[in-house]
Amino acid sequence: HLHLPPRANQPRPTQLTTSPPPAMVATAKIPQRQLFIDGDWRVPALGRRLPVINPTTEASIGEIPAGTSEDVDAAVAAARAALKRNRGRDWSRAPGAVRAKYLRAIAAKMIERKSDLARLEALDCGKPLDEAAWDMDDVAGCFEFFAGHAEALDKRQNAAVALPENFKCHLKKEPIGVVALITPWNYPLLMAVWKVAPALAAGCTAVLKPSELASVTCLELGDVCKEIGLPSGVLNIVTGLGHEAGAPLSSHPDVDKVAFTGSYATGQKIMVAAAPTVKACYIGTWRQKSYCSI
């Protein structure tokens, strides 16, 4: 496991904006997005959408797409194709320095869009506006941090391993494959990026399923990836309900690993769903007021 990036070298604000300013609430609307699959926006297979509720006013401020198993199949297929494209030379087997360029481009766009992203985060999950802005700094810092790790992988490839006489051994690091990333509502974009950035740095391709309670900024990540030209299928984003999108993603036979942060009960269900295909799992969850990982 790689260490999480340190927070930006500046103090947190001592006074937080406890809610979005009245003018912002009055004009509160979110972008109308679709699912982000294979590098483009795609209408959900069943055409359904979920309302987005502003916790401050309890008013509906827009909708997000409600993906289902059909959309999960499409997203996983896109991720698998991206992993294998050009025999992996386009992404999974490309030098880490190539992937680092994309991660740094995403980081730069996050800073460029910081105000808009912080506004959307505050409207979507009720986070104080100043706290949401701080999170966007951390989002950019996370992509920068793992860009450095992607470059470091190049230097560590084929490192010699000391063995007894007459044996030769070299260490080769390879991505595990297609990863499913399932994230919670409390740090919507930041906690998603804690999973997305290291996965992409390692050469994996991914399907992100954010919490249906706070998915808005995660869909904006898709727009950033589209703008900077991230190869199609490398990152796919499927929003929707847990039992309709998260469950089929966890059990999908073409997913190689599942990473999840959320409730203990949901973590149990994900491990059960992953068991028949013996998927690698990373489960971070809360139980009895403590955090544990498996």
Side-chain angles (χ1 to χ4, degrees):
H1 296 292
L2 299 176
H3 294 293
L4 293 175
R7 290 186 177 270
N9 187 23
Q10 58 183 17
R12 277 190 177 273
T14 54
Q15 291 184 340
L16 298 178
T17 303
T18 56
S19 62
M24 189 173 94
V25 173
T27 59
K29 287 295 177 184
I30 63 171
Q32 184 84 349
R33 301 291 187 198
Q34 304 295 343
L35 304 175
F36 187 68
I37 297 175
D38 204 18
D40 211 345
W41 301 110
R42 184 176 300 191
V43 176
L46 300 185
R48 299 196 314 222
R49 300 184 69 83
L50 299 171
V52 175
I53 305 301
N54 180 347
T56 302
T57 63
E58 298 185 350
S60 176
I61 57 173
E63 297 174 330
I64 58 170
T68 54
S69 60
E70 296 89 347
D71 304 302
V72 168
D73 288 343
V76 173
R80 181 62 62 183
L83 190 77
K84 295 182 176 180
R85 188 180 298 125
N86 195 17
R87 296 186 177 181
R89 288 190 285 268
D90 288 358
W91 188 259
S92 58
R93 296 177 59 192
V98 171
R99 297 191 295 273
K101 289 180 181 178
Y102 287 106
L103 296 181
R104 289 202 170 96
I106 293 172
K109 283 295 176 184
M110 289 295 172
I111 292 300
E112 184 180 308
R113 297 189 182 195
K114 174 182 172 180
S115 296
D116 286 341
L117 290 170
R119 178 184 65 87
L120 292 173
E121 199 80 295
L123 291 172
D124 190 25
C125 76
K127 182 182 288 287
L129 183 59
D130 290 346
E131 182 78 7
W134 181 273
D135 284 354
M136 297 310 130
D137 288 331
D138 283 0
V139 164
C142 189
F143 277 112
E144 287 281 358
F145 179 82
F146 284 106
H149 273 285
E151 292 169 333
L153 281 175
D154 291 341
K155 299 176 183 178
R156 294 160 59 190
Q157 287 289 26
N158 300 313
V161 178
L163 289 176
E165 191 176 346
N166 299 325
F167 290 92
K168 288 185 179 180
C169 181
H170 292 81
L171 184 63
K172 184 176 182 180
K173 295 182 179 290
E174 297 180 337
I176 195 169
V178 175
V179 294
L181 311 174
I182 303 175
T183 55
W185 60 268
N186 51 340
Y187 290 83
L189 184 57
L190 180 57
M191 203 164 287
V193 168
W194 283 354
K195 290 175 169 46
V196 169
L200 301 192
C204 295
T205 56
V207 180
L208 170 64
K209 194 281 176 192
S211 169
E212 62 270 22
L213 300 177
S215 297
V216 172
T217 51
C218 289
L219 287 170
E220 293 308 293
L221 173 59
D223 193 54
V224 167
C225 291
K226 186 175 174 65
E227 183 177 348
I228 63 102
L230 185 72
S232 60
V234 168
L235 177 62
N236 306 273
I237 305 169
V238 177
T239 55
L241 299 174
H243 66 281
E244 294 182 339
L249 181 59
S250 302
S251 62
H252 201 287
D254 218 17
V255 167
D256 299 298
K257 182 172 184 175
V258 180
F260 164 79
T261 301
S263 73
Y264 185 81
T266 303
Q268 284 181 312
K269 292 176 182 177
I270 287 173
M271 294 184 75
V272 169
T277 50
V278 199
K279 297 187 200 313
C281 288
Y282 176 83
I283 306 294
T285 187
W286 289 267
R287 188 182 188 189
Q288 296 178 347
K289 299 183 180 178
S290 64
Y291 182 83
C292 61
S293 62
I294 303 171

